[in-house]
Amino acid sequence: QVQLVESGGGLVQPGGSLRLSCAASGSIFSINIMGWYRQAPGKQRELVATISSSTNYADSVKGRFTISRDNAKNTVYLQMDSLKPEDTAVYYCYAVVRASSSNRWNNYWGQGTQVTVSS
């Protein structure tokens, strides 16, 4: 019904930049919160950033990452600058979506995109 597809992951050197994109597709009536989570090997999935009427960032990425969205494209972005090795993780797109066929909000997750920060 609704799918989230991430793109833009890859290998980057410390201090480098990367921009992730996540496009929501399907029969969508409305999207509320969109955001990004990440999960490093052996660690719990954690919030990176969310965006609705405002933005919210994990302390670990404040000042380095910027979340934005294009509602016309149902797409959320994560601009990652000054990347550190500890940013290495699988990044997952998240969205709270009301499908056209639904009268309620549901949580959707992308499949994840690998970000590796290494020299």
Side-chain angles (χ1 to χ4, degrees):
Q1 187 176 24
V2 176
Q3 303 83 39
L4 303 180
V5 180
E6 303 101 332
S7 63
L11 175 64
V12 65
Q13 294 184 343
S17 297
L18 210 58
R19 192 189 194 203
L20 305 183
S21 298
C22 173
S25 62
S27 300
I28 298 171
F29 180 80
S30 184
I31 301 177
N32 186 221
I33 299 170
M34 302 188 81
W36 295 90
Y37 287 71
R38 67 186 182 186
Q39 187 167 24
K43 297 183 179 180
Q44 186 177 351
R45 187 176 298 187
E46 65 176 351
L47 171 72
V48 177
T50 60
I51 181 169
S52 54
S53 59
S54 61
T55 57
N56 181 46
Y57 296 92
D59 288 340
S60 60
V61 307
K62 286 181 179 177
R64 300 188 298 117
F65 291 11
T66 303
I67 188 170
S68 61
R69 64 193 289 178
D70 184 338
N71 291 331
K73 297 180 179 180
N74 290 330
T75 299
V76 63
Y77 305 93
L78 185 68
Q79 178 66 43
M80 304 183 292
D81 298 318
S82 301
L83 283 162
K84 303 175 180 180
E86 50 262 46
D87 294 319
T88 296
V90 176
Y91 284 70
Y92 296 91
C93 179
Y94 167 78
V96 180
V97 180
R98 181 185 170 186
S100 297
S101 60
S102 177
N103 63 354
R104 69 185 185 96
W105 298 92
N106 287 287
N107 301 322
Y108 291 89
W109 293 90
Q111 292 298 305
T113 185
Q114 177 70 49
V115 172
T116 301
V117 184
S118 179
S119 59

